[in-house]
Structures are given as structure tokens and as C-alpha cells.
Amino acid sequence: MTRIVILGGGPGGYEAALVAASLGATVTVIDSDGIGGACVLTDCVPSKTLIATSETMTNFAMAPALGVRPHGDPSAEVGSWELTGLPHLTPPDVVTVDPEQVNERVRALARAQSADIERRLERERVEVVHGTGRLVGPHAVETSDGETFVGGIVLVATGTSPREISGCEPDGERILTWRHLYDLKEIPEHLVVVGSGVTGAEFASAYRALGAEVTLVSSRERVLPSEDPDAARLIEDVFVRRGIEVLNRSRAAGARRIGDGVVVELTDGRTVTGSHALMAVGSVPRTKGLGLTEVGVRLGSGGHVVVDRMSRTSVPGVYAAGDCTGVLPLASVAAMQGRIAMWHALGEAVTPLRLGTVSSNIFTEPEIATVGVTQRMKDTGAIAAEVTTVPLMRNPRAKMMGIADGFVKLFCRPGSGCVLGGVIVAPRASELILSISLAVENGLTVDQIARTLSIYPSLSGSITEAARVLRPRDLFASSTDVPR
Ligand SMILES: Cc1cc2nc3c(=O)[nH]c(=O)nc-3n(C[C@H](O)[C@H](O)[C@H](O)COP(=O)(O)OP(=O)(O)OC[C@H]3O[C@@H](n4cnc5c(N)ncnc54)[C@H](O)[C@@H]3O)c2cc1C
């Protein structure tokens, strides 16, 4: 029977453990901070739980425009909202957020999910060891307690830690990483978010909806510089309309506490004062001190474990999965890399990791979901593609719901009409993208999507409309206002 030792109990590690156990291997998972990993305990699950509350606040903010007023205040301020959209959405003052309850809910939900996963592992007879491990040989892991676990196969899935920049070191009280947020007793009065990538944008969006003043310090031309440019422009526009101050081309040089607040110094000499600063400047792999290079595992220049598409490292029998490999920092990818490692190690038929069909989502309001070919690939000529963009403002359901911001963008191969990718900017874009992902994964054409009946009225009607636009022979390509 093959013995497998897994270092790290996040999605990369625990999904691998479940696969290996189901294939009859003897599996040990060693984890230092809690099963479920940073994904469940500090990063993905907590942030999306917080965002569930911030979305509720946004719904309250939208309510007057849809004719809903608080009891006893029939003349509540509607502001300058218009029925066709909500251009000046600001947090409502008729409801308030209880920060301690919100954060306790976040922590409790994360703890419960971690416990669920640990019980599941135990049910599948996976041995769970709480402790810090390091490789002391290609197939031997020693824990901080001095116990050694030997496995024919070792999987390294140790994840990442928030990156710190010199001069802006977090103190956990006023200068924070996202892992400190859920210990706060209050909603920051004025949150200065340093970093406008996915993490910075999600927290800027969420805390603004929760009532904080927010300043977003972005070193690039615009927020979300690596994302679809139309989506990034739209989100930046929404941020500004919602009262987020966006400082583009601004780089933080230092952050220091002053009294009950914090001052962020920019490299051009300007300063930004707030109550708290959130450093969201990326992550570094947790690969130091693991004994990896000592046993011959090759690390990349940034410290990531170098792996191939089968999750193999440079040492036979040593695999790596998840964020520590730097392949694509998503829970779904970590889990798939872990499963692939086990299928490969245990002799199952397995196809190498394919990143072209991975869908991802940014949980701002509205959300941005993407899959497949990107605008950049088309614009640089890397891929020949036709593209169309259908604004949600044309969508009847969006009008009914008061949604003005958003679009569906679809890419297809010229000639065959094969769907290559898409971008959806909409509330719950994360749910809507699946139909485009299915099309990309299964080689469906815009013609096939165009012939598929979508619900009338529905936001997904904009997906079939985009397909009709890309299908040149279609006579009904121009309008969504008529049910068909
Ligand atoms: C704020 C934020 C929000 C995110 N939201 C999403 C999202 O919505 N969707 C999504 O798909 N992804 C999201 N991600 C990314 C996602 O969290 C990661 O891709 C995922 O956690 C990677 O899983 P992993 O198993 O590689 O690592 P982790 O989840 O980090 O788990 C690694 C585990 O290894 C343990 N470990 C480390 N070193 C040792 C050691 N020496 N010995 C023993 N154990 C060790 C750690 O304690 C940890 O438990 C988000 C990330 C951030 C920062």
C-alpha cells in the first residue's frame, strides 16, 4: 500500500488527501495552522462571508430607488438615484453594521468549515497531524515535535503568506493585512487600501458598502491592472461614484501610526491619512525553511516550487500543489493540482492541468467573472478572435432590478464561431459565467448558444444575445426587449 505524506491542509492538500484515500493509499496530512488552510480560515471563505454582509448593505442602499422606505420615515432621502440605474450609491444611514457580530460570524463560519473538512478527512481514514513540518529527506517529513513521517510520495501544499513591504510592516492594529481584519472591533472609519489587485479591490468595495471611507492606493494606471480593461474601467468608475477615492499611479513608501490613525506616505511625497491601512500587495510562497532545496526540489526566483502540469517537482516522488507553486492562486486550481498529483502518483489515467478553461471571479460589486481568451490576447494578436460586448443596461431584467453597471463580453473563433472565452460584469457574475465556461470547455459555438432559449427576463439573456450578435446570419441579433 502506498504511503503518502502531505504537508499543508488547504485545498491543495486536503483535496489530494481525499483522492489518495479513495484510491486506497495510507495518507497523513500535516498542517500547522488549521485544516482548510488559509483558504478556509483567513482568505477566501472569510472574505466572501464578509462580502455577503456588504452586499446586504448595498441592497439596503438600493431599496429606496425600488420604492422601499424605512418605517416611520416616508420621506427618506432617495438622493439622486434614477430608476434606470443607481449612479450615486452610497451606504445607507437607516441601517448600521454590527462589526463584532459580523466578524464573529466570519470567524465562526471559518472554524466550522475547517472542522467539517477535518471530520471528513478522518471519516476517510486520513491521519491528521497538527504541527509544522519540514522535509528531512525526499520522502521524509519531520514535525516540530520531532516525529518523522516517511512516505513513498510527498506532496507540498504549504500556500502563501501576505507580502510585506519594507516601511509598511503590519502591526495588526492599524496597519493590517487581510488576515487581521476579522479581529477588528469596529468598521474602520477611513480605510486606506494599498494595492488595487483583486484583494485590494474586493476589500475596498466591501468596506465602502459597510460604511467606511475608503482610499485606494494603486501603483498602476487603473485599478485591477491585470484584468479585462473594460471591466477594470467600469469598476473604477463605480468605485469613484460610490465615493471611494482612487489614487492611481501612486506607490506607498511607508505607513506609520499616528495617535488613533495611520499615515501612508507615497513615493512622490504625498501622504494619505486614515484610521487604518490595509496592505494588499500580494503574497509570498511559504517555502522557506521547508528543507526543499536541501533535498533537491527546485524553487523559482520568487521562491515558488517549480512544477509541471502533473504537479511533479524536480525530485521524483515529490509533488507540489496550490499557491506555493505560483501557477494560479485560486482554490479551484490548488485542489485540481492536488488531485492530479495523486492520480499521477497512484498510477491513475490523468490529463495534465489545463489553465485555459479556468474561470475566476472578482467579488467586487458588481462582480467580474472571466474565462478563457482575454482581450489582451486578442489585441496583441496572440489569438484570432471576434468579440462583442452587450451592456447590461439593454437587459430587461437588469432594468427591472435597477442594475445599470455591467456587461457580457464574448469571444469566438472567426469562421467556426467556436466560443473561446468571456467576461461578465454583473451582480453574481460568478454564477452566470458557468454557461460560457461550459461552452469553452466543450467547444460549443455561438450558433449553439444563440439557439439555446434563455429565461425571459434574465441576466443570462445577455449571454444568448451576445452569441446572436456574433452569429452574423441571425436576423434578430439587435434587441433583447422582445421576449422570444
Ligand atoms: C483575501 C483572499 C481572498 C481569496 N478569495 C478567493 C476566492 O474567492 N476564490 C478562490 O478560488 N481563491 C481565493 N483566494 C485564493 C485562495 O485562498 C488560495 O488559492 C488557496 O488558499 C490556495 O490553497 P493552498 O492549499 O495552496 O494553500 P492554503 O489554503 O494557504 O493552505 C496551506 C496550508 O499549509 C499549511 N502550512 C504551511 N506551512 C506549513 C508547514 N511547514 N507545515 C505544516 N503546514 C504548513 C498552512 O498552515 C495552511 O493551512 C483568495 C486569497 C486571498 C488572499
Side-chain angles (χ1 to χ4, degrees):
M1 191 183 287
T2 312
R3 206 187 145 79
I4 292 178
V5 181
I6 297 176
L7 199 51
Y14 74 73
E15 286 289 342
L18 291 173
V19 165
S22 75
L23 294 172
T26 303
V27 189
T28 301
V29 175
I30 302 167
D31 189 279
S32 53
D33 303 352
I35 293 296
C39 175
V40 168
L41 290 165
T42 54
D43 295 0
C44 177
V45 170
S47 61
K48 267 76 259 184
T49 309
L50 181 84
I51 286 168
T53 299
S54 69
E55 282 175 350
T56 305
M57 287 297 278
T58 301
N59 290 339
F60 272 112
M62 287 175 67
L66 303 183
V68 179
R69 302 284 171 90
H71 275 303
D73 189 7
S75 63
E77 191 55 47
V78 177
S80 48
W81 291 347
E82 295 161 10
L83 283 176
T84 51
L86 307 166
H88 298 287
L89 192 67
T90 52
D93 49 16
V94 291
V95 284
T96 186
V97 171
D98 178 339
E100 296 209 35
Q101 196 193 333
V102 170
N103 285 339
E104 178 45 36
R105 176 172 180 267
V106 168
R107 291 192 302 263
L109 200 142
R111 279 194 305 268
Q113 197 162 332
S114 168
D116 275 355
I117 299 168
E118 186 159 345
R119 273 194 298 273
R120 169 91 200 276
L121 288 174
E122 284 165 359
R123 266 203 314 276
E124 305 299 329
R125 288 198 281 282
V126 172
E127 180 187 23
V128 175
V129 176
H130 295 283
T132 303
R134 66 187 301 275
L135 271 74
V136 289
H139 299 115
V141 176
E142 187 183 87
T143 64
S144 32
D145 299 344
E147 206 177 342
T148 303
F149 296 83
V150 177
I153 306 295
V154 170
L155 174 75
V156 179
T158 48
T160 55
S161 304
R163 190 162 83 88
E164 292 182 11
I165 42 180
S166 157
C168 302
E169 286 81 4
D171 63 8
E173 290 179 357
R174 296 281 162 182
I175 306 170
L176 313 166
T177 73
W178 57 87
R179 294 185 181 173
H180 299 122
L181 289 170
Y182 313 107
D183 294 325
L184 293 180
K185 301 273 180 279
E186 73 241 319
I187 299 296
E189 201 177 300
H190 182 167
L191 184 64
V192 182
V193 179
V194 177
S196 66
V198 175
T199 301
E202 286 186 357
F203 283 117
S205 175
Y207 276 100
R208 182 65 190 130
L210 292 171
E213 291 295 318
V214 175
T215 302
L216 183 54
V217 178
S218 166
S219 62
R220 308 286 284 276
E221 293 274 307
R222 75 168 81 92
V223 302
L224 294 171
S226 311
E227 303 302 322
D228 179 85
D230 295 324
R233 253 189 302 275
L234 186 151
I235 281 296
E236 184 166 324
D237 185 42
V238 170
F239 279 5
V240 171
R241 276 189 273 131
R242 289 185 181 179
I244 295 176
E245 188 183 10
V246 179
L247 302 179
N248 284 335
R249 284 179 238 97
S250 303
R251 195 175 281 276
R256 60 189 161 80
R257 288 178 69 147
I258 42 148
D260 279 348
V262 64
V263 171
V264 175
E265 287 148 2
L266 306 182
T267 46
D268 61 9
R270 284 176 298 158
T271 56
V272 187
T273 307
S275 62
H276 298 76
L278 170 64
M279 307 307 299
V281 288
S283 299
V284 290
R286 290 179 69 174
T287 51
K288 261 198 202 140
L290 287 186
L292 291 169
T293 46
E294 290 85 332
V295 301
V297 172
R298 196 153 75 81
L299 301 184
S301 56
H304 292 104
V305 183
V306 177
V307 286
D308 65 10
R309 290 167 62 210
M310 289 295 193
S311 309
R312 284 178 292 202
T313 70
S314 51
V315 174
V318 180
Y319 292 74
D323 285 10
C324 70
T325 67
V327 169
L328 192 56
L330 286 175
S332 52
V333 173
M336 186 51 80
Q337 284 181 293
R339 291 185 204 113
I340 287 175
M342 294 301 107
W343 286 323
H344 186 269
L346 296 170
E348 293 290 302
V350 55
T351 45
L353 182 71
R354 289 172 59 208
L355 292 178
T357 53
V358 174
S359 50
S360 63
N361 193 63
I362 303 170
F363 292 80
T364 42
E365 289 182 56
E367 296 178 358
I368 303 172
T370 49
V371 66
V373 157
T374 62
Q375 186 72 49
R376 191 165 295 119
M377 287 172 172
K378 175 182 157 43
D379 293 346
T380 57
I383 291 273
E386 285 181 21
V387 61
T388 193
T389 302
V390 175
L392 278 193
M393 235 184 315
R394 283 189 358 211
N395 180 297
R397 186 80 189 279
K399 289 177 195 165
M400 294 163 202
M401 295 166 74
I403 298 166
D405 296 305
F407 61 79
V408 170
K409 184 187 271 197
L410 202 58
F411 298 92
C412 76
R413 202 181 293 288
S416 70
C418 201
V419 178
L420 297 174
V423 180
I424 299 182
V425 182
R428 295 277 186 272
S430 48
E431 312 288 348
L432 295 169
I433 197 77
L434 183 68
S435 53
I436 302 182
S437 301
L438 279 170
V440 174
E441 179 70 38
N442 294 290
L444 301 185
T445 63
V446 283
D447 196 53
Q448 286 169 306
I449 295 188
R451 286 171 191 278
T452 305
L453 289 176
S454 57
I455 299 286
Y456 179 88
S458 68
L459 297 187
S460 52
S462 290
I463 299 173
T464 47
E465 185 189 359
R468 285 197 298 275
V469 173
L470 284 173
R471 181 175 170 259
R473 281 162 293 127
D474 198 296
L475 297 173
F476 302 101
S478 57
S479 164
T480 48
D481 279 335
V482 183
R484 290 188 265 279

